[in-house]
DNA sequence: ACATTAATTGTGT
DNA sequence: ACACAATTAATGT
């Protein structure tokens, strides 16, 4: 197991200046989570901004009825500046975040955010870039929901997932996929079957294998 | 190794 | 959407 310092240096060392790295090491908390662990639940009080050091997490929105919708993913070295933004206002989370693989996260206390924003140019750039990336991904998701049919969205979901986890195999049940896409299990099963007939994928229990990306 | 049960997936209405 | 059948994995004996 790598030390906290090494992990931080490895993922952020190139982007952030030395003195800031020292401060981060000093005031952050390192958290290690297993796969499918809920890091942030809706209504949680936001006292930390997470930076993903390794692994990846998905961010979902939930409606009043309790249906989920996948918004975007956050990979290693990335952060969710939006988490911070949407939570400064009312201090509770509007979204939930779940690990997609075993992941290590760095928890930055929110009170450090403003201090560092004023103090470090590299931090400002980092946060703004992250913010921009999240917004771009969010727009892509909005486009997908507004303009793509479910079968196209499903294919995009599978390829995104494969790219992110670096494997053609996707270990999800049809039910879990349906939840991410805010659809129903039967519909997903049928669409997947069609894709299998077209030769795009092969189906096994708890596992979908992409023929190609 | 076998039987039982639970979870997942497939299909017709 | 619902109901049910079929298949597969997990567990106990």
């Amino acid at each position: 197991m790598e030390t906290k310092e090494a992990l931080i240096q490895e993922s952020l060392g190139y982007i952030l200046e030395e003195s800031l790295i020292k401060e981060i090491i000093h005031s952050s908390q390192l958290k290690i989570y297993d796969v499918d662990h809920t890091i942030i639940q809706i209504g949680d009080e936001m006292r930390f901004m997470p930076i993903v050091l390794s692994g990846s997490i998905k961010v979902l929105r939930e409606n009043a009825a309790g249906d989920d919708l996948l918004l975007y993913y956050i990979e290693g070295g990335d952060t969710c500046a939006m988490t911070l933004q949407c939570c400064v206002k009312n201090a509770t989370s509007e979204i939930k975040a779940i690990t997609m693989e075993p992941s290590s996260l760095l928890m930055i206390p929110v009170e450090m955010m403003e201090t560092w924003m004023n103090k470090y140019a590299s931090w400002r750039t980092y946060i703004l870039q992250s913010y921009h990336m999240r917004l771009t991904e969010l727009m892509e998701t909005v486009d997908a929901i507004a303009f793509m049919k479910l079968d196209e969205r499903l294919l995009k979901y599978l390829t995104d997932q494969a790219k992110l986890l670096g494997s053609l195999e996707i270990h999800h049940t049809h039910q879990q996929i349906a939840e991410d896409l805010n659809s129903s299990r039967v519909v997903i099963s049928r669409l997947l079957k069609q894709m299998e007939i077209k030769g795009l994928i092969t189906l096994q229990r708890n596992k979908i294998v992409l023929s190609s990306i």
Side-chain angles (χ1 to χ4, degrees), chain A residues 1-204:
Chain A
M1 177 57 73
E2 289 181 89
T3 64
K4 176 179 165 185
E5 285 78 4
L7 272 170
I8 292 174
Q9 195 65 49
E10 199 178 299
S11 357
L12 302 172
Y14 290 102
I15 329 170
L16 303 175
E17 56 215 82
E18 190 58 36
S19 47
L20 175 54
I21 296 282
K22 283 214 176 70
E23 285 208 52
I24 290 176
I25 290 171
H26 179 251
S27 54
S28 68
Q29 248 191 311
L30 180 66
K31 299 270 190 185
I32 311 279
Y33 295 110
D34 203 4
V35 65
D36 271 333
H37 184 271
T38 303
I39 301 161
I40 299 168
Q41 185 60 259
I42 298 189
D44 279 2
E45 205 182 319
M46 294 303 303
R47 285 157 35 246
F48 299 95
M49 186 196 77
I51 297 180
V52 180
L53 292 183
S54 67
S56 52
I57 66 181
K58 61 180 179 186
V59 175
L60 305 126
R61 168 89 207 180
E62 195 176 88
N63 71 7
D67 300 320
D68 286 341
L69 180 62
L70 182 64
L71 296 181
Y72 47 77
Y73 306 100
I74 303 173
E75 302 175 68
D78 245 337
T79 183
C80 184
M82 284 202 164
T83 304
L84 180 83
Q85 193 56 35
C86 71
C87 299
V88 161
K89 195 172 55 180
N90 54 6
T92 63
S93 176
E94 306 259 332
I95 50 95
K96 59 183 180 180
I98 299 172
T99 56
M100 307 218 303
E101 48 188 327
S103 307
S104 52
L105 305 198
L106 208 54
M107 308 303 265
I108 311 283
V110 284
E111 53 270 24
M112 298 317 293
M113 297 295 299
E114 210 180 320
T115 314
W116 292 347
M117 284 291 255
N118 293 325
K119 202 165 161 189
Y120 297 104
S122 62
W123 183 256
R124 280 197 296 278
T125 310
Y126 179 59
I127 295 299
L128 287 175
Q129 271 183 1
S130 156
Y131 198 82
H132 181 250
M133 265 175 15
R134 294 290 90 76
L135 197 57
T136 307
E137 285 162 7
L138 197 55
M139 285 195 285
E140 209 180 290
T141 305
V142 170
D143 281 350
I145 295 166
F147 305 123
M148 288 165 70
K149 292 199 184 329
L150 188 55
D151 54 346
E152 296 174 294
R153 275 177 69 203
L154 178 56
L155 192 57
K156 174 170 156 49
Y157 173 87
L158 294 174
T159 50
D160 281 353
Q161 199 92 190
K163 278 181 216 158
L164 204 59
L165 300 179
S167 157
L168 289 173
E169 293 186 3
I170 291 151
H171 296 263
H172 279 145
T173 66
H174 300 178
Q175 181 65 52
Q176 290 172 306
I177 296 171
E179 282 164 16
D180 280 351
L181 295 178
N182 186 31
S183 177
S184 70
R185 201 275 303 164
V186 222
V187 171
I188 298 296
S189 287
R190 288 206 159 107
L191 289 174
L192 286 171
K193 195 85 229 165
Q194 288 309 305
M195 290 179 165
E196 188 179 39
I197 291 168
K198 285 185 196 162
L200 298 172
I201 56 175
T202 52
L203 294 174
Q204 292 167 50

